[in-house]
Amino acid sequence: MKLKKIMSLVLSGLIVTSLVGCGSSSKTAKDNGNGKIVVWTLSDDLKSFAKHYQEQNPGKKVEVTVIAPADYVTKVTTALRGKSKIPDIIVGEPQMIPNYFEAGFCEDLTKEPYNVKQYKNQIVNYVYEAGKDPKDGKVKALSYQVTAGGITYRRDIAKAVWGNDDPDFIAGKFKDFDAISETAKELSAKGYKIFADTGDLAPFVYGKDPEPWVKDKKLMVTKDRLAYVDAAVKLYQEKLVAFAPQWSPAWYASMAGSIPTDTGNGDLKKANPKAAKTEVFSYALPTWGSLIIRDNAKNNIGKFGVTTGPNAYFAGGTFMAISSYSENKLAAWNFIKYCTLNENTAKWWIKESKGDVVSNIAALEANKDMKNEAFGGQKTYAFWLEQAKKVDYSLVTKYDDQIGKFFGQAIESIQKGKMSKEAALKDFYKNVKTVYPQIEVPN
């Protein structure tokens, strides 16, 4: 959940380039599962888990060290390249953990004494798949969260514009990129903006008929992806968004009320004081976005709803892995099992976190009728479980981050009038081919 902001810090291959050839230790020290374990992480969540674990299991010792995101990768890399026995457990987002796997940092959880396959049906499928090493298909990390995404929207604005705030009705307004463009115009005519920024389109780059970015060594520039480009350009050039980038002060402020239409790229201190005011209708957010809404909506609490966009997606998540060099692997496994596979723990975390969405299916099912007051009483756990089951992890490839950056650069060039669509796409293909010569790109 709180790892979301580190995504931009972890560049493709950052770890791999310095680690390939380090190898892994297949030797597991003899331990009885009672040794003290050390966890290195990026957020405070696992401190809460450790405290609860020790309360439930007297005699067990878990030390959690929270490391600043800017320093985390370097510290883990340095320690495990040196085959340090500490930490016993490391964490990472889905973008990070394949690099850990390739470097030989993580235990194979499919072997004895872990036998993780027997637990497969207890957690949401995409979470199980995301924890697999792409090279050998073996599970090496697990997460206690699902981070499926959707469209979070203002019910009061929906009623004002269309007289209907039902999630199924709003889903129709976001069913594809043509619908999104039309919805944006309808909202603008009433003085609202569909999104805080065009970046809200990013999770839907797969489109209505999802294809991975690379398939059979070919760059998949589908009809939906070209429609995505058109929508992103239209929303930008026709000023149908609020130009309040994600994580900016203006973005947070927009959840509570009106913001200037000229926000100074999200910095309200630089906003044009004479600019007209507007309100943002919707945000593309995963499960943890519900917590951001809860903490920033102020008087708008209770006015939100959540529905689907053109495709299912996920963003982020805290995955836990046992270090190959730990001498307390069984103790580490007991803690990971407790955090990720224990139904009672999952139910506790739902209450403790006040809204985080767990990966344990039984706990989600048990809470499917829970009403979320920040979302007008909507049964959001039922919604997130349904969306999480729709996530197709096979769409994820090792090329996604870099290709996504090139694609974003091309779109920005079109939006700002620096290039035509044709020229920008040619530049996009050239950049992809330069970095990945093995990938076939369109002529």
Side-chain angles (χ1 to χ4, degrees), residues 12 43 81 205 252 294 306 325 404 411:
S12 260
S43 71
R81 282 184 72 184
V205 71
Y252 287 108
R294 180 199 68 196
V306 64
Y325 309 108
I411 290 172

Side-chain angles (χ1 to χ4, degrees), residues 163-181:
N164 191 337
D165 68 342
D166 182 77
D168 289 338
F169 172 79
I170 301 301
K173 295 290 183 181
F174 290 86
K175 65 181 180 180
D176 55 37
F177 298 116
D178 287 341
I180 287 173
S181 295

Side-chain angles (χ1 to χ4, degrees), residues 213-286:
W213 263 118
V214 178
K215 184 178 180 181
D216 298 328
K217 295 186 178 180
K218 291 183 180 180
L219 184 67
M220 303 302 291
V221 184
T222 62
K223 178 181 177 182
D224 275 346
R225 287 205 166 104
L226 295 175
Y228 173 101
V229 174
D230 293 338
V233 172
K234 186 181 187 69
L235 296 184
Y236 183 93
Q237 293 185 345
E238 297 186 16
K239 299 182 179 180
L240 299 175
V241 295
F243 300 104
Q246 194 173 47
W247 314 124
S248 70
W251 182 73
Y252 287 108
S254 71
M255 298 171 189
S258 61
I259 59 173
T261 51
D262 181 358
T263 66
N265 198 34
D267 186 348
L268 291 174
K269 293 179 181 178
K270 297 179 180 178
N272 182 351
K274 297 181 180 179
K277 300 279 188 174
T278 191
E279 291 190 68
V280 173
F281 175 62
S282 65
Y283 309 82
L285 288 169

Side-chain angles (χ1 to χ4, degrees), residues 21-90:
C22 294
S24 64
S25 170
S26 60
K27 295 180 181 178
T28 302
K30 298 292 183 182
D31 70 87
N32 58 12
N34 293 318
K36 174 186 172 181
I37 61 170
V38 176
V39 181
W40 283 5
T41 185
L42 296 117
S43 71
D44 291 333
D45 287 1
L46 290 180
K47 281 190 172 182
S48 298
F49 277 97
K51 181 181 178 182
H52 194 256
Y53 178 71
Q54 291 170 124
E55 290 171 350
Q56 300 296 311
N57 299 274
K60 302 284 189 182
K61 299 293 181 184
V62 181
E63 178 185 312
V64 177
T65 300
V66 179
I67 300 169
D71 302 325
Y72 186 79
V73 171
T74 300
K75 188 157 186 174
V76 169
T77 299
T78 301
L80 298 190
R81 282 184 72 184
K83 300 184 180 180
S84 172
K85 298 171 185 177
I86 294 174
D88 300 286
I89 293 174
I90 56 176

